[in-house]
Protein backbone atom coordinates (compact mmCIF):
# COMPACT_ATOMS: atom_id res chain seq x y z
CA UNK A 1 0.00 0.00 0.00
CA UNK A 2 1.35 3.40 -0.98
CA UNK A 3 0.78 6.50 1.14
CA UNK A 4 2.88 9.28 -0.28
CA UNK A 5 2.34 12.97 0.31
CA UNK A 6 0.40 13.91 -2.83
CA UNK A 7 -0.06 17.54 -1.84
CA UNK A 8 3.70 18.04 -1.98
CA UNK A 9 3.70 16.84 -5.57
CA UNK A 10 1.07 19.24 -6.86
CA UNK A 11 2.63 22.04 -8.90
CA UNK A 12 2.63 25.48 -7.27
CA UNK A 13 0.60 27.01 -10.07
CA UNK A 14 -2.20 24.47 -9.64
CA UNK A 15 -2.15 24.34 -5.83
CA UNK A 16 -3.48 27.86 -5.49
CA UNK A 17 -6.24 27.59 -8.08
CA UNK A 18 -9.93 27.07 -7.55
CA UNK A 19 -11.86 24.82 -9.94
CA UNK A 20 -14.53 26.49 -12.08
CA UNK A 21 -17.74 26.10 -10.13
CA UNK A 22 -21.28 26.19 -11.35
CA UNK A 23 -24.29 25.62 -9.21
CA UNK A 24 -26.78 23.18 -10.61
CA UNK A 25 -30.35 22.24 -9.94
CA UNK A 26 -31.81 18.89 -10.98
CA UNK A 27 -35.24 20.26 -11.55
CA UNK A 28 -36.40 23.76 -12.13
CA UNK A 29 -35.52 26.56 -14.45
CA UNK A 30 -31.91 26.92 -15.50
CA UNK A 31 -31.08 30.48 -16.38
CA UNK A 32 -27.49 30.42 -15.20
CA UNK A 33 -25.32 29.06 -18.02
CA UNK A 34 -26.28 31.03 -21.15
CA UNK A 35 -27.52 27.92 -22.90
CA UNK A 36 -30.23 27.78 -25.56
CA UNK A 37 -33.44 27.16 -23.56
CA UNK A 38 -35.17 25.19 -26.32
CA UNK A 39 -34.74 21.44 -26.13
CA UNK A 40 -33.28 19.62 -29.13
CA UNK A 41 -36.03 19.27 -31.72
CA UNK A 42 -37.29 15.79 -32.69
CA UNK A 43 -36.34 16.49 -36.33
CA UNK A 44 -32.77 17.25 -35.37
CA UNK A 45 -32.56 14.24 -33.03
CA UNK A 46 -33.77 12.02 -35.87
CA UNK A 47 -31.06 13.29 -38.23
CA UNK A 48 -28.39 12.55 -35.62
CA UNK A 49 -29.80 9.11 -34.82
CA UNK A 50 -29.83 8.17 -38.51
CA UNK A 51 -26.15 9.08 -38.72
CA UNK A 52 -25.37 7.18 -35.54
CA UNK A 53 -26.64 3.94 -37.04
CA UNK A 54 -23.87 4.05 -39.64
CA UNK A 55 -21.15 5.43 -37.45
CA UNK A 56 -18.05 3.34 -36.77
CA UNK A 57 -17.43 4.28 -33.18
CA UNK A 58 -14.47 1.88 -33.13
CA UNK A 59 -12.65 4.32 -35.44
CA UNK A 60 -11.05 7.60 -34.45
CA UNK A 61 -12.85 10.75 -35.56
CA UNK A 62 -11.68 12.75 -38.57
CA UNK A 63 -8.74 14.71 -37.10
CA UNK A 64 -9.25 17.49 -39.66
CA UNK A 65 -13.03 17.80 -39.12
CA UNK A 66 -13.39 18.26 -42.89
CA UNK A 67 -17.19 18.09 -43.15
CA UNK A 68 -17.75 20.36 -40.19
CA UNK A 69 -15.27 22.90 -41.54
CA UNK A 70 -17.07 22.86 -44.89
CA UNK A 71 -20.39 23.51 -43.16
CA UNK A 72 -18.88 26.42 -41.21
CA UNK A 73 -17.19 27.80 -44.31
CA UNK A 74 -20.51 27.78 -46.19
CA UNK A 75 -22.04 29.97 -43.53
CA UNK A 76 -19.26 32.39 -42.63
CA UNK A 77 -17.49 32.43 -46.02
CA UNK A 78 -14.02 32.01 -44.55
CA UNK A 79 -11.84 29.39 -46.25
CA UNK A 80 -11.61 26.03 -44.47
CA UNK A 81 -7.83 26.34 -44.19
CA UNK A 82 -8.29 29.18 -41.71
CA UNK A 83 -10.58 27.17 -39.42
CA UNK A 84 -9.78 25.06 -36.36
CA UNK A 85 -12.36 23.11 -34.37
CA UNK A 86 -12.14 23.01 -30.59
CA UNK A 87 -13.74 20.82 -27.98
CA UNK A 88 -15.64 23.95 -27.03
CA UNK A 89 -13.99 27.28 -27.77
CA UNK A 90 -12.49 27.06 -24.27
CA UNK A 91 -10.01 24.60 -25.70
CA UNK A 92 -8.92 27.05 -28.38
CA UNK A 93 -8.33 29.69 -25.71
CA UNK A 94 -5.91 27.26 -24.11
CA UNK A 95 -4.29 26.39 -27.45
CA UNK A 96 -3.69 30.09 -28.13
CA UNK A 97 -1.97 30.54 -24.80
CA UNK A 98 0.14 27.45 -25.45
CA UNK A 99 1.26 28.76 -28.82
CA UNK A 100 2.08 32.31 -27.74
CA UNK A 101 3.22 32.03 -24.14
CA UNK A 102 5.96 30.43 -22.15
CA UNK A 103 5.50 30.06 -18.40
CA UNK A 104 5.69 33.49 -16.79
CA UNK A 105 4.54 35.36 -19.91
CA UNK A 106 1.59 37.72 -19.66
CA UNK A 107 -1.92 37.64 -21.11
CA UNK A 108 -4.42 40.45 -20.60
CA UNK A 109 -8.11 41.26 -20.78
CA UNK A 110 -10.60 43.88 -19.67
CA UNK A 111 -12.33 43.21 -16.38
CA UNK A 112 -14.95 42.00 -15.59
CA UNK A 113 -15.07 39.39 -18.31
CA UNK A 114 -15.29 35.65 -18.99
CA UNK A 115 -13.74 33.78 -16.05
CA UNK A 116 -12.09 31.08 -18.15
CA UNK A 117 -9.42 33.42 -19.54
CA UNK A 118 -8.08 33.78 -16.01
CA UNK A 119 -8.51 30.14 -15.01
CA UNK A 120 -6.83 28.75 -18.13
CA UNK A 121 -3.94 31.25 -17.94
CA UNK A 122 -3.27 30.55 -14.27
CA UNK A 123 -3.41 26.80 -14.84
CA UNK A 124 -0.60 27.22 -17.36
CA UNK A 125 1.58 29.34 -15.09
CA UNK A 126 0.96 32.58 -16.99
CA UNK A 127 0.70 36.07 -15.57
CA UNK A 128 -2.61 37.85 -15.92
CA UNK A 129 -3.06 41.60 -16.29
CA UNK A 130 -6.58 42.93 -16.12
CA UNK A 131 -7.82 46.32 -17.21
CA UNK A 132 -10.92 47.74 -15.48
CA UNK A 133 -13.86 48.61 -17.73
CA UNK A 134 -15.46 52.04 -17.28
CA UNK A 135 -18.99 52.83 -16.03
CA UNK A 136 -20.42 52.01 -19.44
CA UNK A 137 -18.62 48.65 -19.44
CA UNK A 138 -16.37 49.92 -22.22
CA UNK A 139 -12.65 50.66 -22.61
CA UNK A 140 -10.38 53.26 -24.11
CA UNK A 141 -8.01 51.74 -26.67
CA UNK A 142 -5.13 54.13 -26.07
CA UNK A 143 -5.10 53.43 -22.34
CA UNK A 144 -5.50 49.70 -22.85
CA UNK A 145 -2.66 49.71 -25.40
CA UNK A 146 -0.38 51.48 -22.94
CA UNK A 147 -1.26 48.90 -20.32
CA UNK A 148 -0.62 46.00 -22.74
CA UNK A 149 2.68 47.49 -23.82
CA UNK A 150 4.04 48.19 -20.34
CA UNK A 151 3.12 44.70 -19.18
CA UNK A 152 4.47 43.04 -22.33
CA UNK A 153 1.19 41.20 -22.81
CA UNK A 154 1.37 38.77 -25.71
CA UNK A 155 -2.36 38.18 -26.07
CA UNK A 156 -5.43 40.23 -25.26
CA UNK A 157 -8.85 38.58 -24.96
CA UNK A 158 -11.87 40.64 -25.92
CA UNK A 159 -15.24 39.04 -25.31
CA UNK A 160 -17.55 40.58 -27.93
CA UNK A 161 -20.28 40.83 -26.62
CA UNK A 162 -18.74 40.76 -23.18
CA UNK A 163 -19.75 38.08 -20.71
CA UNK A 164 -21.04 38.93 -18.05
CA UNK A 165 -21.83 42.59 -18.84
CA UNK A 166 -23.75 41.67 -22.03
CA UNK A 167 -22.68 44.62 -24.19
CA UNK A 168 -20.44 44.91 -27.23
CA UNK A 169 -17.51 47.28 -26.68
CA UNK A 170 -17.20 50.30 -29.01
CA UNK A 171 -16.18 49.24 -32.49
CA UNK A 172 -13.88 52.23 -32.80
CA UNK A 173 -11.86 51.24 -29.73
CA UNK A 174 -11.55 47.62 -30.87
CA UNK A 175 -10.53 48.74 -34.34
CA UNK A 176 -7.78 50.90 -32.87
CA UNK A 177 -6.66 48.02 -30.66
CA UNK A 178 -6.37 45.68 -33.65
CA UNK A 179 -4.51 48.26 -35.70
CA UNK A 180 -1.99 49.31 -33.06
CA UNK A 181 -1.35 46.29 -30.85
CA UNK A 182 1.91 44.43 -31.38
CA UNK A 183 0.39 41.21 -30.07
CA UNK A 184 -2.59 38.98 -30.77
CA UNK A 185 -6.15 40.26 -30.37
CA UNK A 186 -8.48 37.34 -29.64
CA UNK A 187 -12.03 38.45 -30.33
CA UNK A 188 -14.25 35.98 -28.59
CA UNK A 189 -17.54 36.13 -30.49
CA UNK A 190 -19.24 33.32 -28.55
CA UNK A 191 -22.49 35.36 -28.58
CA UNK A 192 -22.24 36.51 -32.19
CA UNK A 193 -25.59 34.96 -33.11
CA UNK A 194 -27.33 37.31 -30.70
CA UNK A 195 -25.36 40.48 -31.49
CA UNK A 196 -25.00 40.16 -35.26
CA UNK A 197 -21.76 42.14 -34.87
CA UNK A 198 -18.39 40.79 -35.94
CA UNK A 199 -14.87 41.80 -36.95
CA UNK A 200 -14.54 38.91 -39.39
CA UNK A 201 -14.03 41.25 -42.36
CA UNK A 202 -10.94 42.68 -40.65
CA UNK A 203 -9.08 39.39 -40.89
CA UNK A 204 -7.94 40.11 -44.45
CA UNK A 205 -6.11 43.24 -43.39
CA UNK A 206 -4.71 42.25 -39.99
CA UNK A 207 -2.66 39.17 -39.20
CA UNK A 208 -2.86 39.72 -35.44
CA UNK A 209 -6.59 38.98 -35.22
CA UNK A 210 -8.16 35.68 -34.16
CA UNK A 211 -11.93 35.19 -33.91
CA UNK A 212 -13.54 32.52 -31.75
CA UNK A 213 -17.12 31.27 -32.09
CA UNK A 214 -19.11 28.64 -30.22
CA UNK A 215 -22.14 26.43 -30.79
CA UNK A 216 -22.70 26.17 -27.04
CA UNK A 217 -25.01 29.16 -26.78
CA UNK A 218 -27.20 28.15 -29.71
CA UNK A 219 -28.10 24.59 -28.87
CA UNK A 220 -25.11 22.26 -28.67
CA UNK A 221 -23.64 23.00 -25.24
CA UNK A 222 -23.75 19.28 -24.46
CA UNK A 223 -21.55 18.36 -27.40
CA UNK A 224 -18.72 20.88 -26.87
CA UNK A 225 -18.11 22.48 -30.24
CA UNK A 226 -16.31 25.75 -30.79
CA UNK A 227 -14.25 27.00 -33.68
CA UNK A 228 -11.68 29.64 -34.44
CA UNK A 229 -10.87 31.64 -37.54
CA UNK A 230 -7.12 32.17 -37.66
CA UNK A 231 -4.64 33.95 -39.90
CA UNK A 232 -3.42 31.29 -42.34
CA UNK A 233 0.13 31.28 -40.97
CA UNK A 234 -1.10 30.56 -37.44
CA UNK A 235 -3.14 27.46 -38.25
CA UNK A 236 -0.11 25.16 -38.39
CA UNK A 237 1.14 26.46 -35.05
CA UNK A 238 -2.20 25.82 -33.33
CA UNK A 239 -2.31 22.36 -34.87
CA UNK A 240 1.02 21.55 -33.19
CA UNK A 241 -0.52 21.86 -29.72
CA UNK A 242 -4.08 20.75 -30.48
CA UNK A 243 -4.83 17.16 -29.52
CA UNK A 244 -5.25 15.26 -32.80
CA UNK A 245 -8.70 13.86 -32.01
CA UNK A 246 -9.99 16.70 -29.86
CA UNK A 247 -13.36 16.81 -31.61
CA UNK A 248 -15.33 13.57 -31.42
CA UNK A 249 -17.30 11.98 -34.28
CA UNK A 250 -20.75 12.64 -32.87
CA UNK A 251 -20.01 16.29 -32.14
CA UNK A 252 -18.62 16.81 -35.63
CA UNK A 253 -21.71 15.35 -37.27
CA UNK A 254 -24.21 17.09 -35.04
CA UNK A 255 -22.50 20.47 -35.44
CA UNK A 256 -22.34 20.14 -39.23
CA UNK A 257 -26.03 19.17 -39.35
CA UNK A 258 -27.03 22.00 -37.06
CA UNK A 259 -25.30 24.46 -39.36
CA UNK A 260 -26.83 22.90 -42.50
CA UNK A 261 -30.29 23.20 -40.93
CA UNK A 262 -29.71 26.60 -39.46
CA UNK A 263 -33.23 27.95 -40.06
CA UNK A 264 -34.45 25.87 -37.09
CA UNK A 265 -31.87 27.50 -34.85
CA UNK A 266 -32.40 30.93 -36.38
CA UNK A 267 -36.05 30.86 -35.29
CA UNK A 268 -34.92 30.12 -31.74
CA UNK A 269 -32.35 32.90 -31.83
CA UNK A 270 -35.02 35.33 -33.02
CA UNK A 271 -37.34 34.33 -30.17
CA UNK A 272 -34.53 34.67 -27.64
CA UNK A 273 -33.77 38.17 -28.92
CA UNK A 274 -37.43 39.16 -28.67
CA UNK A 275 -37.63 37.76 -25.16
CA UNK A 276 -34.41 39.59 -24.26
CA UNK A 277 -35.94 42.91 -25.27
CA UNK A 278 -39.13 42.15 -23.36
CA UNK A 279 -37.24 41.08 -20.24
CA UNK A 280 -35.07 44.17 -20.34
CA UNK A 281 -38.15 46.36 -20.58
CA UNK A 282 -39.77 44.61 -17.62
CA UNK A 283 -36.61 44.82 -15.52
CA UNK A 284 -36.26 48.51 -16.27
CA UNK A 285 -39.70 49.09 -14.74
CA UNK A 286 -38.58 47.70 -11.40
CA UNK A 287 -37.47 50.46 -9.08
CA UNK A 288 -34.87 48.54 -7.10
CA UNK A 289 -33.18 47.12 -10.20
CA UNK A 290 -30.68 48.52 -12.70
CA UNK A 291 -30.61 46.36 -15.82
CA UNK A 292 -27.80 46.79 -18.34
CA UNK A 293 -28.42 46.74 -22.10
CA UNK A 294 -27.54 43.45 -23.78
CA UNK A 295 -26.35 42.28 -27.21
CA UNK A 296 -26.26 38.68 -26.01
CA UNK A 297 -28.57 35.98 -24.66
CA UNK A 298 -28.34 37.13 -21.05
CA UNK A 299 -28.87 40.27 -19.00
CA UNK A 300 -26.73 41.66 -16.20
CA UNK A 301 -28.65 43.49 -13.51
CA UNK A 302 -27.88 45.09 -10.20
CA UNK A 303 -30.17 45.15 -7.18
CA UNK A 304 -30.20 47.91 -4.59
CA UNK A 305 -29.05 45.58 -1.86
CA UNK A 306 -28.56 41.96 -0.90
CA UNK A 307 -28.14 40.38 -4.31
CA UNK A 308 -27.01 37.19 -2.67
CA UNK A 309 -30.29 36.83 -0.78
CA UNK A 310 -32.24 37.34 -3.99
CA UNK A 311 -30.09 34.70 -5.69
CA UNK A 312 -30.88 32.12 -2.99
CA UNK A 313 -34.56 33.12 -2.85
CA UNK A 314 -34.85 32.47 -6.56
CA UNK A 315 -32.95 29.20 -6.26
CA UNK A 316 -35.23 27.96 -3.47
CA UNK A 317 -38.14 28.68 -5.75
CA UNK A 318 -36.64 26.68 -8.57
CA UNK A 319 -35.03 29.40 -10.68
CA UNK A 320 -31.26 29.27 -10.96
CA UNK A 321 -29.44 32.38 -12.19
CA UNK A 322 -25.81 33.49 -11.74
CA UNK A 323 -24.60 35.40 -8.71
CA UNK A 324 -21.67 37.64 -9.64
CA UNK A 325 -21.51 39.60 -6.40
CA UNK A 326 -18.12 38.26 -5.35
CA UNK A 327 -16.42 40.37 -8.04
CA UNK A 328 -15.44 43.78 -6.62
CA UNK A 329 -16.93 45.64 -9.61
CA UNK A 330 -20.13 43.58 -9.58
CA UNK A 331 -21.45 44.12 -6.10
CA UNK A 332 -25.10 42.95 -5.90
CA UNK A 333 -25.01 42.02 -9.57
CA UNK A 334 -26.76 39.00 -11.01
CA UNK A 335 -26.86 37.55 -14.51
CA UNK A 336 -29.92 35.93 -15.99
CA UNK A 337 -29.91 33.90 -19.20
CA UNK A 338 -32.86 34.50 -21.52
CA UNK A 339 -35.14 31.49 -21.31
CA UNK A 340 -38.40 30.54 -22.98
CA UNK A 341 -41.34 32.89 -22.50
CA UNK A 342 -42.65 30.65 -19.72
CA UNK A 343 -39.30 30.56 -17.92
CA UNK A 344 -38.84 34.30 -18.18
CA UNK A 345 -42.34 34.87 -16.79
CA UNK A 346 -41.56 32.64 -13.82
CA UNK A 347 -38.37 34.56 -13.20
CA UNK A 348 -40.11 37.93 -13.45
CA UNK A 349 -42.87 36.84 -11.13
CA UNK A 350 -40.43 35.72 -8.44
CA UNK A 351 -38.47 38.90 -8.85
CA UNK A 352 -41.58 41.03 -8.42
CA UNK A 353 -42.55 39.11 -5.29
CA UNK A 354 -39.06 39.41 -3.86
CA UNK A 355 -38.86 43.16 -4.36
CA UNK A 356 -42.15 43.84 -2.63
C1 LIG B 1 -19.58 30.36 -23.05
C2 LIG B 1 -18.41 31.14 -23.49
C3 LIG B 1 -17.35 30.55 -24.17
C4 LIG B 1 -17.10 29.08 -24.24
O1 LIG B 1 -17.83 28.34 -24.88
P1 LIG B 1 -17.54 26.80 -25.18
O2 LIG B 1 -17.53 26.79 -26.67
O3 LIG B 1 -18.70 26.14 -24.55
O4 LIG B 1 -16.23 26.39 -24.59
C5 LIG B 1 -16.32 31.33 -24.63
N1 LIG B 1 -16.31 32.64 -24.40
C6 LIG B 1 -17.28 33.25 -23.73
C7 LIG B 1 -17.21 34.71 -23.50
C8 LIG B 1 -18.37 32.52 -23.24
O5 LIG B 1 -19.31 33.13 -22.52
Amino acid sequence: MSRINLTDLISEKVKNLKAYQVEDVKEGIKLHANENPYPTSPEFTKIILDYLKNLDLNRYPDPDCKNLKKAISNIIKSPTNQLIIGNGSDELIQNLMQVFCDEGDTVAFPDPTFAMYYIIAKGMGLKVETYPLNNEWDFNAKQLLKHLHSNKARLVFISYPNNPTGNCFSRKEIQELIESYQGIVVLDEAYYDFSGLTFLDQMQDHNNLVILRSLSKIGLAGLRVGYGIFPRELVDEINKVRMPYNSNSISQIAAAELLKNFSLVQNQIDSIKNERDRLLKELSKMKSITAFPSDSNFILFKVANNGEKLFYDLMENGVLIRNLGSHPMLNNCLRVTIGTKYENDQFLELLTQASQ
Side-chain angles (χ1 to χ4, degrees):
M1 194 168 93
S2 298
R3 277 281 157 243
I4 66 170
N5 188 340
L6 292 177
T7 316
D8 278 357
L9 283 175
I10 309 294
S11 84
E12 285 305 316
K13 61 177 186 256
V14 171
K15 221 179 261 180
N16 302 319
L17 287 180
K18 269 204 222 117
Y20 185 80
Q21 275 206 344
V22 225
E23 281 93 357
D24 202 3
V25 281
K26 284 229 174 53
E27 274 156 49
I29 296 177
K30 297 186 186 198
L31 302 178
H32 70 304
N34 299 345
E35 297 148 334
N36 180 342
Y38 300 102
T40 314
S41 71
E43 297 99 299
F44 186 67
T45 308
K46 186 173 178 309
I47 294 174
I48 305 307
L49 285 178
D50 286 345
Y51 268 106
L52 262 178
K53 283 181 202 142
N54 299 313
L55 207 58
D56 292 325
L57 289 177
N58 56 320
R59 303 292 176 195
Y60 281 109
D62 171 12
D64 297 323
C65 308
K66 285 184 281 297
N67 285 330
L68 175 52
K69 283 183 189 170
K70 254 182 242 153
I72 294 170
S73 177
N74 278 337
I75 288 195
I76 68 167
K77 309 297 173 209
S78 296
T80 51
N81 66 6
Q82 283 186 258
L83 301 176
I84 296 182
I85 309 301
N87 189 9
S89 53
D90 282 356
E91 187 181 44
L92 298 172
I93 295 169
Q94 183 173 42
N95 290 162
L96 278 158
M97 293 184 191
Q98 285 175 293
V99 163
F100 287 101
C101 300
D102 289 312
E103 204 162 315
D105 283 345
T106 300
V107 298
F109 36 85
D111 182 49
T113 192
F114 185 46
M116 288 310 295
Y117 306 146
Y118 181 90
I119 295 173
I120 296 171
K122 285 295 176 179
M124 297 177 59
L126 306 183
K127 283 196 200 121
V128 166
E129 283 293 336
T130 57
Y131 178 84
L133 292 170
N134 64 24
N135 289 339
E136 264 113 50
W137 304 129
D138 206 351
F139 67 86
N140 172 281
K142 288 207 172 53
Q143 286 171 14
L144 176 58
L145 280 159
K146 230 184 259 170
H147 190 75
L148 295 173
H149 184 73
S150 64
N151 289 296
K152 299 198 175 62
R154 304 173 74 89
L155 287 165
V156 63
F157 290 87
I158 304 288
S159 172
Y160 184 80
N162 188 40
N163 178 9
T165 57
N167 59 308
C168 281
F169 304 127
S170 310
R171 286 193 80 79
K172 186 173 146 287
E173 303 303 314
I174 294 180
Q175 187 67 36
E176 186 171 346
L177 180 67
I178 297 168
E179 285 172 14
S180 308
Y181 182 39
Q182 300 295 306
I184 304 294
V185 179
V186 183
L187 264 190
D188 183 345
E189 296 183 353
Y191 299 95
Y192 162 74
D193 295 286
F194 305 99
S195 72
L197 296 171
T198 178
F199 277 82
L200 197 55
D201 64 346
Q202 293 295 305
M203 293 208 58
Q204 291 160 333
D205 297 331
H206 305 285
N207 74 347
N208 61 339
L209 177 61
V210 171
I211 290 180
L212 301 181
R213 298 267 179 95
S214 174
L215 301 192
S216 295
K217 324 290 163 165
I218 56 170
L220 286 191
L223 286 178
R224 311 298 300 124
V225 182
Y227 63 93
I229 308 118
F230 295 81
R232 184 64 200 93
E233 64 258 48
L234 267 186
V235 170
D236 294 340
E237 305 302 319
I238 298 286
N239 276 330
K240 290 181 193 170
V241 298
R242 181 180 65 86
M243 294 294 156
Y245 303 111
N246 64 325
S247 178
N248 72 71
S249 313
I250 298 176
S251 294
Q252 287 186 40
I253 286 171
E257 287 306 313
L258 183 95
L259 294 173
K260 286 185 209 160
N261 298 280
F262 204 73
S263 58
L264 280 176
V265 186
Q266 191 57 52
N267 287 337
Q268 298 174 342
I269 293 168
D270 294 342
S271 308
I272 292 167
K273 282 162 68 179
N274 286 336
E275 277 296 296
R276 171 185 74 197
D277 297 344
R278 179 177 77 95
L279 206 54
L280 198 59
K281 224 193 222 158
E282 292 301 321
L283 289 173
S284 322
K285 288 182 198 159
M286 297 183 184
K287 278 201 196 71
S288 57
I289 284 175
T290 311
F292 297 97
S294 170
D295 299 303
S296 48
N297 68 341
F298 57 87
I299 294 173
L300 179 76
F301 64 98
K302 187 179 170 95
V303 293
N305 51 53
N306 223 339
E308 180 155 314
K309 180 171 180 305
L310 177 61
F311 170 76
Y312 284 111
D313 281 353
L314 288 170
M315 190 151 94
E316 272 158 30
N317 285 289
V319 175
L320 183 62
I321 61 172
R322 193 77 194 268
N323 178 16
L324 299 163
S326 63
H327 188 290
M329 290 169 76
L330 298 173
N331 232 319
N332 289 317
C333 284
L334 300 156
R335 189 193 70 191
V336 61
T337 304
I338 312 304
T340 61
K341 178 170 189 317
Y342 170 79
E343 291 172 333
N344 299 333
D345 283 340
Q346 296 294 107
F347 163 73
L348 283 171
E349 196 178 311
L350 288 175
L351 207 58
T352 313
Q353 281 169 21
S355 53
Q356 268 160 10

